Amino acid sequence: MEIFKEVKPIRAFLGRFVNNSIGLVPTMGALHQGHLSLIKKCKKENNLTIATVYVNPTQFNNASDLDKYPRTIEKDIELLASEGCDVLFCPSNHEMYPKPSSLKMDFGHLDRILEGEFRPGHFSGVGLVVSKLFNIIQPTKAYFGQKDYQQYKVLSKLVEELDFNINLECVPTIREEDGLAMSSRNQRLDISAREKAIVFYKALNRAKNLLLERASMQFVKQDIKQFCEAESGVKLEYIELATRENLILMENVKDANDSVLLIAGFVGEVRLIDNLFLS
């Protein structure tokens, strides 16, 4: 596996692959089987598979969260190499942002709901760094996990509006045996918190059943808040029902095939997100 830390060398290297399909898997490291599922799919569909590991400071609106984000680059390198990843790009902050960036992105409706509401500025930072990676790597396809579904829809809008010649792939969430969505932030959970964290996946399934029985979202929100916060140390931030296509929030299920439930909350100090398609 080739490893690059600077923009110019990786651009020079990729110049040898202009007639090949290039797949990109952007990550912030602390890799797990969810990330590796993206690598596997990427390898099947492209001549060259490139992973990036970069903890992007511009998408954090909480300095403590940025400081505590797990960083395991040596283990990440081992995992990527074992999966046959061809190239790793792991730049420094100075390489990605030689000067402080003043560019801001606004994704309209998607910036004002769910993660956009509770993490203001988050998607501007995501859009900025992914635009940089797309520009540097110029991939044919890029792969993202369904766990960050709103992020996937934001980046779909980015690709559409900026005319990036890139196909985005949304890969299903990989879960632990008990259903917990795999996440780098899970590494911050102690044993007790890890046992409680499954409450959000249980809550999604509970909400799904209620909605399919024609309960209103108003009732579901009250029920799920009580259900989650019955666990000590757990705080529900939001649970919402939305259309899959454009994340328009809904009060009732209109079409299960175009519906997704999205949830976020805290177990202690660790913030987790998850989602579930209704169909």
Side-chain angles (χ1 to χ4, degrees):
M1 182 173 69
E2 301 281 348
I3 300 177
F4 296 92
K5 297 183 178 180
E6 298 176 344
V7 172
K8 288 183 179 179
I10 194 170
R11 277 181 167 157
F13 174 82
L14 292 174
R16 296 155 42 188
F17 296 89
V18 290
N19 295 319
N20 292 267
S21 60
I22 297 174
L24 174 65
V25 180
T27 84
M28 292 205 300
L31 302 184
H32 49 71
Q33 289 300 315
H35 295 112
L36 299 185
S37 73
L38 304 181
I39 296 292
K40 289 173 183 174
K41 184 170 177 59
C42 185
K43 281 186 63 65
K44 288 180 181 178
E45 299 179 355
N46 300 278
N47 301 125
L48 193 71
T49 293
I50 301 177
T52 64
V53 171
Y54 179 61
V55 182
N56 173 43
T58 66
Q59 70 188 68
F60 285 81
N61 58 345
N62 183 320
S64 175
D65 191 25
L66 173 60
D67 291 341
K68 293 178 180 178
Y69 196 88
R71 294 163 171 84
T72 58
I73 187 62
E74 292 183 3
K75 182 182 176 184
D76 293 343
I77 291 171
E78 290 179 6
L79 287 172
L80 290 170
S82 70
E83 286 296 333
C85 183
D86 300 303
V87 178
L88 169 62
F89 181 49
C90 49
S92 65
N93 285 337
H94 178 73
E95 189 67 16
M96 291 300 286
Y97 299 99
K99 298 178 181 178
S101 176
S102 60
L103 180 65
K104 303 296 180 185
M105 294 185 176
D106 187 327
F107 292 94
H109 162 72
L110 292 172
D111 245 336
R112 316 203 205 298
I113 60 167
L114 306 167
E115 295 299 284
E117 177 183 355
F118 287 91
R119 300 181 68 187
H122 169 65
F123 287 126
S124 177
V126 170
L128 177 59
V129 76
V130 172
S131 294
K132 283 173 171 280
L133 293 174
F134 284 172
N135 185 37
I136 294 165
I137 308 297
Q138 297 189 17
T140 313
K141 288 186 176 183
Y143 297 79
F144 301 90
Q146 182 192 317
K147 185 182 74 68
D148 298 291
Y149 189 69
Q150 187 179 6
Q151 173 181 276
Y152 169 72
K153 299 308 292 187
V154 163
L155 295 176
S156 297
K157 187 175 181 65
L158 178 82
V159 166
E160 177 186 358
E161 297 213 5
L162 295 185
D163 291 321
F164 280 114
N165 188 24
I166 301 169
N167 291 322
L168 299 191
E169 295 278 344
C170 184
V171 182
T173 301
I174 302 298
R175 298 184 180 277
E176 304 287 357
E177 288 187 7
D178 62 359
L180 179 68
M182 290 189 179
S183 168
S184 300
R185 284 187 168 85
N186 293 352
Q187 296 184 26
R188 293 181 54 199
L189 298 169
D190 61 25
I191 294 174
S192 174
R194 169 61 185 83
E195 291 176 351
K196 295 175 182 178
I198 189 59
V199 71
F200 295 125
Y201 181 59
K202 289 180 178 178
L204 286 172
N205 282 284
R206 181 182 177 94
K208 173 182 175 179
N209 291 334
L210 287 169
L211 287 165
L212 294 179
E213 292 170 0
R214 301 303 176 189
S216 70
M217 199 59 202
Q218 181 180 359
F219 174 84
V220 169
K221 287 180 181 181
Q222 295 171 347
D223 178 87
I224 295 303
K225 181 176 176 63
Q226 292 176 352
F227 178 77
C228 289
E229 296 183 359
E231 290 276 5
S232 64
V234 172
K235 180 183 177 183
L236 179 70
E237 197 163 62
Y238 66 74
I239 184 166
E240 295 285 0
L241 174 71
T243 60
R244 262 194 244 179
E245 180 60 30
N246 47 24
L247 290 185
I248 299 298
L249 301 186
M250 299 186 293
E251 286 301 315
N252 303 93
V253 177
K254 296 181 176 64
D255 178 3
N257 292 320
D258 183 38
S259 299
V260 57
L261 275 165
L262 305 104
I263 196 168
F266 288 87
V267 182
E269 295 182 352
V270 182
R271 187 176 185 274
L272 301 174
I273 65 172
D274 200 353
N275 63 74
L276 191 68
F277 292 166
L278 260 64
S279 58

